[in-house]
Amino acid sequence: MITGLTGNAGHGSRINLVRKRPSSIDVARLAEVSQATVSYVLSNRTDKVISEVTRSKVLAAAEKLSYMPNRLADGILRGKTLTVGVLMPDFGHSFNSKILIGLESEFADAGYSILIAHNRNEPELERHQVRMLMEHRVAGIIAVGDEATIAELPAWVEQAIKLDVDVCVVDDSSLDGIVDTVVSDDIAGANLAVGHLISQGHERIAFLGGSELTTTSRDRRIGYEQALQRHGIDVDPALQLGHHYRTDVDPDLSPLIVGPHRATAVFGVSDGLVGQAMMRLESEGIYRRDILAFVGYGNLEFSRYLWLTTIEQHPIEMGRRAASRMIARLSGKVSDPVTDRVPPELVVRRSSFPAKEF
Amino acid sequence: MITGLTGNAGHGSRINLVRKRPSSIDVARLAEVSQATVSYVLSNRTDKVISEVTRSKVLAAAEKLSYMPNRLADGILRGKTLTVGVLMPDFGHSFNSKILIGLESEFADAGYSILIAHNRNEPELERHQVRMLMEHRVAGIIAVGDEATIAELPAWVEQAIKLDVDVCVVDDSSLDGIVDTVVSDDIAGANLAVGHLISQGHERIAFLGGSELTTTSRDRRIGYEQALQRHGIDVDPALQLGHHYRTDVDPDLSPLIVGPHRATAVFGVSDGLVGQAMMRLESEGIYRRDILAFVGYGNLEFSRYLWLTTIEQHPIEMGRRAASRMIARLSGKVSDPVTDRVPPELVVRRSSFPAKEF
DNA sequence: ATGAAAGCGCTAACAA
DNA sequence: TTGTTAGCGCTTTCAT
């Protein structure tokens, strides 16, 4: 089982069977200084004055041994590490992956590492994962919003705060005011989308909605209604379709084309839903992208292949903001919990052509 | 700066300003046993016999204090942690995210945590990240293949092995035979794709290629040529297009439709490239998806919206296999480095219709 | 069946 | 300017 049996040159009385990595003691011995001096030099402390000779002796010794400090020791001393935990529902969704990109880049630049925890939408697993993060002594936890585990949040967040672990929630505003929160402004986004359709001359605009378990779909419906009302257009309940916020549902839009409730445009709460609906129309032979205008939400990768006008939420930026807020807190800046609503942006493509009557 | 100033009930001589988490010593005191006993109980050791009374006393005390073991201490003792590092070029690509999903699920089940390191395609950063992982005393490193940093691999891999850190490379076979490797079988995949087109009656099949910096694009070209030759079809260099393996390139396929080098089908080395090409045709008004058949590669999210026939690489499975191989190694199973070629799968959609002459 | 003590790698306080 | 010492939270001999 033991492969490299090199009893490392006598500094311990017992023979070590596993290769031990050089410690700061080894560096100290080689440089002929004390362990404390090594620590002073290697952490470039400005408050300690070190002579140039010792400094270079230490540096040379560290180099020779290819010494790498053990972050665990540091963490044990300080009670916490330079590590943050990221609790993810599902990085299969590019929206979440992009949040992660933003988080990572900010944290990496600030010297923090990221421990990931994937809850797979299972509340049970989430509790496990949070515990794991705590045992790792992470300095903070970033929680990415998710329908399934949203109910678990309050319980562990309270505990985390009690244990001096900072928390920031991204893409969910249910803990708004209690912890730092970064969300996309869904009401504004829906206003952009529907306002755009109205400016194109559309008045019969259908709404393709989803589950309102999270605030996402609800807020987008609110924005939809706001935009209509702002332009003096009545909200017609017959034009509100869809019940689930899942891409595996097949919303049937044919009534909008042939039925008594004709529409000239559709605003959907997610690109997935809209894409699905377009596919269905196309599949049924009533491929009429030229008579029904579409605006989706989320600017997913596939949307440009459908020439789909949509709303960009800037998830990378959301991640960045969440990270930098946490970094601020971790570096001692205290403030009341802040909620940051990232403004979305309209991305115009061919699917939102002007109404024919125009 | 210090918020919760609770000098925790006298067990230290100095007043602690920051709230300290309960340690195993605290549990021991409360349970009126020794620290060692606490350790025995909480790690459920089978080799130590503990009376039922002490066991429950300890458990109760731990519960009361909501004690959470400090993994750092454990790690410092054992020289390594129950953590593995994952080195990613870019989790903006869903292929990579999916690998991560597979990795995570296997590792989580085995009790390992994941520390992520994003090299952003920068070799310089990669060195930094590897160092960071080493300092964290990860037990192993999973490297996900990438053109830009591929050249860095040998250097740090050698060092890692020397430091007793296991390595497994996913989606790159350049270290084939030196470390465990998990890749997708690109030659087989291209054979599937082109074989399918041939079985549909196509003979004039164009190849849309990419940069051959990694083996990916080259292997897919080899598979393309193999399939043609296997069916007695000559390889026509005039039908090989494209130079870059990037989705921001606009391959012009119009010569295949109108020029002297007509083709009836196209096999592209990535769905992105093919999607781009289809978009361009559509954009130029020569939207003739019905006269040119397409097969892509990768089965990206958007592909189904283009009804694109493609090759599924099973990235989640690739991640799973990489993780379980590493777990095996970490639990002491030794063997020579293994290369695992995950078989790809053909996904047939409308874009690969039969040749008209058929 | 349990405990005392040493020690992992490091930094902070205090001495020299 | 540098060194000595203690101690972070834990597991592991070795005693009892």
Side-chain angles (χ1 to χ4, degrees):
Chain A
M1 204 89 94
I2 288 117
T3 46
L5 170 131
T6 55
N8 56 356
H11 81 272
S13 54
R14 208 157 18 108
I15 293 165
N16 288 319
L17 290 183
V18 291
R19 203 166 10 223
K20 196 182 71 73
R21 303 208 196 169
S23 72
S24 68
I25 285 205
D26 299 320
V27 177
R29 257 193 274 273
L30 184 59
E32 295 174 301
V33 296
S34 80
Q35 199 186 3
T37 307
V38 172
S39 175
Y40 298 149
V41 172
L42 294 183
S43 45
N44 315 298
R45 295 184 38 163
T46 46
D47 57 331
K48 295 284 172 184
V49 196
I50 304 287
S51 76
E52 263 318 310
V53 257
T54 30
R55 154 165 274 107
S56 53
K57 271 198 301 182
V58 170
L59 257 25
E63 177 66 26
K64 191 158 300 164
L65 298 173
S66 48
Y67 166 75
M68 298 186 183
N70 187 333
R71 295 204 184 200
L72 304 175
D74 188 277
I76 229 173
L77 240 24
R78 312 160 20 99
K80 58 171 64 169
T81 56
L82 286 174
T83 302
V84 297
V86 174
L87 204 49
M88 271 274 173
D90 187 356
F91 28 60
H93 292 324
S94 67
F95 181 75
N96 290 336
S97 304
K98 284 181 179 160
I99 289 177
L100 187 55
I101 292 178
L103 290 170
E104 201 280 340
S105 75
E106 285 295 304
F107 277 127
D109 290 351
Y112 284 90
S113 306
I114 290 183
L115 209 47
I116 62 167
H118 196 192
N119 60 28
R120 302 177 216 170
N121 303 298
E122 295 166 25
E124 170 74 22
L125 191 54
E126 169 144 328
R127 280 191 290 275
H128 245 85
Q129 298 280 25
V130 170
R131 199 187 169 86
M132 179 273 281
L133 293 176
M134 298 294 198
E135 293 183 1
H136 271 288
R137 297 305 191 262
V138 294
I141 297 180
I142 303 267
V144 178
D146 166 52
E147 292 187 14
T149 58
I150 215 168
E152 294 295 316
L153 265 181
W156 67 258
V157 165
E158 189 193 19
Q159 188 197 21
I161 292 171
K162 210 175 292 173
L163 290 175
D164 192 33
V165 174
D166 287 312
V167 175
C168 178
V169 179
V170 187
D171 194 34
D172 173 89
S173 57
S174 65
L175 257 47
D176 190 5
I178 298 170
V179 293
D180 287 337
T181 299
V182 176
V183 290
S184 180
D185 192 334
D186 284 313
I187 297 185
N191 263 287
L192 275 176
V194 178
H196 167 66
L197 282 172
I198 293 171
S199 78
Q200 296 279 78
H202 294 278
E203 299 198 340
R204 299 281 300 163
I205 303 173
F207 174 79
L208 187 51
S211 143
E212 302 199 353
L213 249 174
T214 57
T215 53
T216 315
S217 188
R218 196 205 46 181
D219 284 354
R220 292 176 194 174
R221 183 172 47 72
I222 292 173
Y224 159 80
E225 292 171 356
Q226 273 184 5
L228 290 180
Q229 285 159 355
R230 188 157 34 86
H231 289 87
I233 303 175
D234 285 341
V235 174
D236 180 355
L239 291 181
Q240 303 206 2
L241 311 174
H243 301 287
H244 305 282
Y245 186 27
R246 292 163 50 189
T247 48
D248 55 353
V249 189
D250 253 349
D252 183 9
L253 300 190
S254 46
L256 298 179
I257 299 179
V258 295
H261 300 293
R262 284 209 53 200
T264 64
V266 176
F267 166 56
V269 293
S270 85
D271 281 2
L273 218 49
V274 172
Q276 203 71 31
M278 291 170 88
M279 293 284 279
R280 173 144 178 182
L281 288 180
E282 190 165 339
S283 214
E284 286 171 345
I286 41 176
Y287 173 56
R288 306 273 191 98
R289 290 186 191 169
D290 48 342
I291 61 161
L292 203 50
F294 287 98
V295 178
Y297 210 109
N299 196 21
L300 301 189
E301 181 69 18
F302 68 79
S303 307
R304 60 194 197 97
Y305 293 96
L306 296 179
W307 312 102
L308 181 61
T309 293
T310 185
I311 301 295
E312 167 63 50
Q313 304 185 265
H314 299 300
I316 297 185
E317 174 65 14
M318 290 172 70
R320 263 202 223 102
R321 294 200 192 183
S324 61
R325 196 159 294 282
M326 172 155 291
I327 290 164
R329 254 184 220 290
L330 293 178
S331 20
K333 298 188 182 61
V334 275
S335 76
D336 287 338
V338 177
T339 295
D340 191 348
R341 292 181 192 281
V342 178
E345 196 180 340
L346 178 70
V347 177
V348 179
R349 297 203 186 93
R350 298 185 190 173
S351 74
S352 60
F353 47 76
K356 301 297 181 200
E357 303 79 2
F358 215 43
Chain B
M1 203 88 93
I2 288 117
T3 46
L5 169 133
T6 54
N8 54 356
H11 81 271
S13 54
R14 206 157 22 106
I15 294 166
N16 288 318
L17 290 183
V18 291
R19 203 167 8 223
K20 196 183 71 72
R21 303 208 196 167
S23 73
S24 67
I25 285 205
D26 299 320
V27 177
R29 258 193 273 272
L30 184 58
E32 294 174 300
V33 295
S34 80
Q35 198 186 5
T37 306
V38 172
S39 174
Y40 297 150
V41 172
L42 295 183
S43 45
N44 316 297
R45 295 184 38 160
T46 45
D47 56 331
K48 295 285 172 184
V49 196
I50 305 287
S51 76
E52 263 317 310
V53 258
T54 27
R55 155 165 273 108
S56 53
K57 270 198 302 184
V58 170
L59 258 24
E63 177 66 26
K64 192 158 298 164
L65 297 173
S66 48
Y67 166 75
M68 297 188 185
N70 187 332
R71 296 202 183 201
L72 304 175
D74 189 276
I76 227 174
L77 242 23
R78 312 161 20 99
K80 58 172 62 170
T81 55
L82 286 174
T83 302
V84 297
V86 174
L87 204 50
M88 270 275 173
D90 187 357
F91 27 60
H93 292 324
S94 66
F95 181 75
N96 290 335
S97 303
K98 284 180 180 162
I99 289 177
L100 187 56
I101 292 178
L103 289 170
E104 202 279 341
S105 75
E106 285 294 305
F107 278 127
D109 290 351
Y112 284 90
S113 306
I114 291 183
L115 210 47
I116 62 167
H118 196 191
N119 60 28
R120 301 177 215 169
N121 302 298
E122 296 167 25
E124 170 75 21
L125 191 54
E126 168 145 329
R127 279 192 291 274
H128 245 85
Q129 298 280 25
V130 170
R131 200 187 167 85
M132 180 271 281
L133 293 176
M134 299 292 198
E135 294 183 2
H136 272 288
R137 297 304 191 262
V138 294
I141 296 180
I142 303 269
V144 178
D146 167 54
E147 292 186 15
T149 58
I150 214 169
E152 294 296 317
L153 265 182
W156 67 258
V157 164
E158 190 193 18
Q159 188 197 21
I161 293 170
K162 210 175 292 174
L163 291 174
D164 192 33
V165 174
D166 287 313
V167 175
C168 178
V169 179
V170 187
D171 194 34
D172 174 88
S173 57
S174 65
L175 256 48
D176 189 6
I178 297 170
V179 293
D180 286 337
T181 299
V182 176
V183 291
S184 180
D185 192 335
D186 285 312
I187 297 184
N191 264 288
L192 276 176
V194 178
H196 167 66
L197 283 171
I198 294 172
S199 79
Q200 296 278 80
H202 294 278
E203 299 198 342
R204 298 282 300 163
I205 302 173
F207 174 79
L208 187 52
S211 144
E212 303 199 352
L213 250 174
T214 57
T215 53
T216 314
S217 188
R218 195 205 46 181
D219 284 355
R220 293 176 193 173
R221 183 173 47 72
I222 292 173
Y224 159 80
E225 293 171 355
Q226 272 185 6
L228 291 180
Q229 285 160 354
R230 190 157 32 87
H231 289 88
I233 303 174
D234 285 341
V235 175
D236 181 353
L239 292 180
Q240 303 206 2
L241 311 174
H243 302 285
H244 305 281
Y245 185 27
R246 291 164 49 189
T247 48
D248 55 352
V249 189
D250 252 349
D252 183 9
L253 300 190
S254 46
L256 298 179
I257 299 179
V258 295
H261 300 295
R262 285 208 53 202
T264 64
V266 177
F267 166 57
V269 293
S270 84
D271 281 2
L273 217 50
V274 172
Q276 202 71 31
M278 290 170 89
M279 295 283 280
R280 173 143 178 187
L281 288 181
E282 190 166 339
S283 214
E284 286 171 346
I286 41 174
Y287 173 56
R288 307 272 190 98
R289 290 186 192 169
D290 48 342
I291 60 160
L292 202 49
F294 287 97
V295 178
Y297 210 108
N299 195 20
L300 301 189
E301 180 69 19
F302 68 79
S303 306
R304 59 194 197 99
Y305 293 96
L306 296 178
W307 312 102
L308 181 60
T309 294
T310 186
I311 301 294
E312 167 63 49
Q313 305 185 265
H314 299 301
I316 297 185
E317 174 65 14
M318 291 172 69
R320 263 201 223 103
R321 294 201 193 183
S324 62
R325 197 158 294 283
M326 172 154 293
I327 291 164
R329 254 184 218 291
L330 293 178
S331 19
K333 298 189 182 60
V334 276
S335 76
D336 287 338
V338 177
T339 295
D340 191 348
R341 294 182 190 279
V342 178
E345 196 180 340
L346 178 70
V347 177
V348 179
R349 297 202 187 94
R350 297 185 190 173
S351 74
S352 59
F353 48 77
K356 299 298 180 199
E357 302 79 1
F358 215 42

